[in-house]
Amino acid sequence: MTVAVVAAGAVGIPTAATAHTPYEKPAAATSTSKASAPFSGAAARVLKLVNSARGKAGCSPLTLNAELTKAAQAHSADMASHRNMSHTGSDGSAPGGRIGGAGYGWKEHGENVARGYPTPESVMAGWMRSPGHKRNILDCSFKEIGVGLAQPGGYWTQDFGTSSG
């Protein structure tokens, strides 16, 4: 089981992670939609666990966002199809570009990825044991989230964001 993290403006991230700043935002990322997507199953359980952890830390709950969910699910599917867990997509894309490409206009973003965890509880436990992942989950400046899960291999993605609008 493996985890990796990217956070906007984060410091002290494990070596497998890359920091992304708001200055890397692609020009095409202009949408400020707050749309919600239908959400159930394992991804809904991850959202519930994230919001429980945030509540204990004094952060407001995250709201599900359709564009972040689209980006997270597409990245999970890409990682599963290539059997490669990375913040870099098979096309060379970075989290901010994928999130913007899905229509989310962001001023801050973060991404957690993992593979090999069979349940929402186990992947959340893994992320919470890692300082960088935990930092993303408990970052009170993030307001929205998208969660993706793809098989085979249990490839998970959490995309966090604060919209620019």
Side-chain angles (χ1 to χ4, degrees):
M1 292 179 249
T2 310
V3 294
V5 63
V6 168
V11 294
I13 297 174
T15 57
T18 310
H20 291 271
T21 66
Y23 303 109
E24 295 174 359
K25 181 169 121 181
T30 59
S31 171
T32 59
S33 171
K34 301 278 186 190
S36 292
F39 206 56
S40 62
R45 183 70 183 141
V46 168
L47 176 61
K48 185 175 180 180
L49 293 167
V50 164
N51 282 335
S52 175
R54 288 173 63 85
K56 291 173 187 171
C59 296
S60 62
L62 295 174
T63 303
L64 179 67
N65 178 276
E67 290 87 7
L68 290 173
T69 298
K70 179 180 175 182
Q73 186 58 47
H75 188 56
S76 288
D78 182 59
M79 289 189 298
S81 69
H82 292 90
R83 291 194 164 84
N84 180 41
M85 189 193 75
S86 175
H87 290 291
T88 303
S90 63
D91 62 355
S93 62
R98 289 190 300 273
I99 291 167
Y104 187 81
W106 56 268
K107 93 176 155 180
E108 293 183 322
H109 75 280
E111 180 173 85
N112 289 345
V113 298
R115 74 169 173 226
Y117 290 91
T119 66
E121 291 76 15
S122 64
V123 74
M124 277 298 295
W127 280 327
M128 292 301 284
R129 282 190 301 269
S130 164
H133 297 92
K134 185 176 181 178
R135 187 179 310 114
N136 273 348
I137 292 166
L138 301 182
D139 184 336
C140 294
S141 72
F142 290 136
K143 303 302 179 200
E144 297 172 298
I145 189 172
V147 180
L149 169 61
Q151 302 295 349
Y155 287 83
W156 299 85
T157 304
Q158 290 178 319
D159 281 331
F160 301 91
T162 301
S163 76
S164 59

